[in-house]
């Protein structure tokens, strides 16, 4: 099997965290373990199918851990892996840039949804 080649290293980063939802999921997981239903509630616009797919891809890349509890009914939680925790600086930088962009384009933070991750902007 031929080894993949990257033009620049940011391609490898975007391969892991790129897309509309992966960074959002990771940002929520920086605040601790979450069940699938909690993530769905925090991201009401994501479909269940997309959430499941994104979680599987993040797990395959070693960025999150899936914890299955042996109980009835079954309980599954997701958390950042140690490797995933190394993304916190990148995620914080993306949020800071996004706040500046929103302020520049919209003049205020009124376009941001009420969300635990946005509390510091009140």
């Amino acid at each position: 099997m031929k080894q993949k080649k990257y033009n620049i290293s940011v391609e490898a980063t975007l391969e892991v965290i790129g897309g509309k939802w992966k960074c959002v999921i990771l940002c929520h997981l920086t605040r601790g373990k979450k069940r699938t239903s909690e993530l769905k509630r925090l991201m009401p616009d994501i479909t269940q199918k997309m959430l499941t797919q994104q979680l599987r891809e993040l797990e395959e890349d070693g960025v999150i851990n899936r914890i299955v509890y042996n109980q009835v009914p079954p309980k599954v939680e997701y958390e950042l892996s140690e490797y995933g925790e190394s993304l916190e600086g990148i995620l914080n930088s993306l949020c800071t840039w996004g706040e500046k962009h929103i302020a520049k384009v919209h003049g205020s933070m009124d376009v941001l949804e009420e969300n635990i991750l946005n509390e510091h902007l009140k």
Side-chain angles (χ1 to χ4, degrees):
M1 182 180 247
K2 188 175 179 181
Q3 187 173 11
K4 182 169 183 163
K5 293 273 189 168
Y6 297 99
N7 188 35
I8 60 173
S9 56
V10 74
E11 288 179 55
T13 305
L14 291 174
E15 188 173 76
V16 175
I17 66 169
K20 182 175 180 178
W21 297 109
K22 286 183 180 178
C23 283
V24 178
I25 292 167
L26 293 170
C27 285
H28 285 297
L29 292 179
T30 62
R31 303 196 48 115
K33 292 178 187 175
K34 300 279 183 289
R35 295 180 74 167
T36 308
S37 58
E38 291 176 273
L39 290 167
K40 179 71 175 100
R41 186 177 38 79
L42 291 165
M43 300 180 294
D45 292 338
I46 193 171
T47 65
Q48 186 64 47
K49 179 182 177 184
M50 181 58 69
L51 178 58
T52 301
Q53 177 185 333
Q54 300 290 276
L55 289 168
R56 283 184 184 146
E57 289 175 12
L58 289 167
E59 183 183 10
E60 285 171 15
D61 287 326
V63 177
I64 65 172
N65 296 321
R66 181 176 186 262
I67 305 157
V68 180
Y69 296 90
N70 189 15
Q71 66 183 52
V72 176
K75 178 181 175 183
V76 177
E77 289 182 326
Y78 294 90
E79 68 179 359
L80 288 178
S81 66
E82 188 175 328
Y83 184 54
E85 288 174 1
S86 69
L87 289 167
E88 285 191 60
I90 293 169
L91 297 169
N92 290 336
S93 294
L94 286 170
C95 286
T96 300
W97 190 90
E99 292 164 12
K100 291 176 184 174
H101 178 70
I102 289 169
K104 178 181 187 275
V105 172
H106 300 281
S108 76
M109 295 293 154
D110 292 342
V111 297
L112 277 175
E113 295 280 344
E114 292 268 335
N115 188 301
I116 193 166
L117 295 176
N118 299 329
E119 286 181 346
H120 70 284
L121 298 172
K122 290 182 179 178

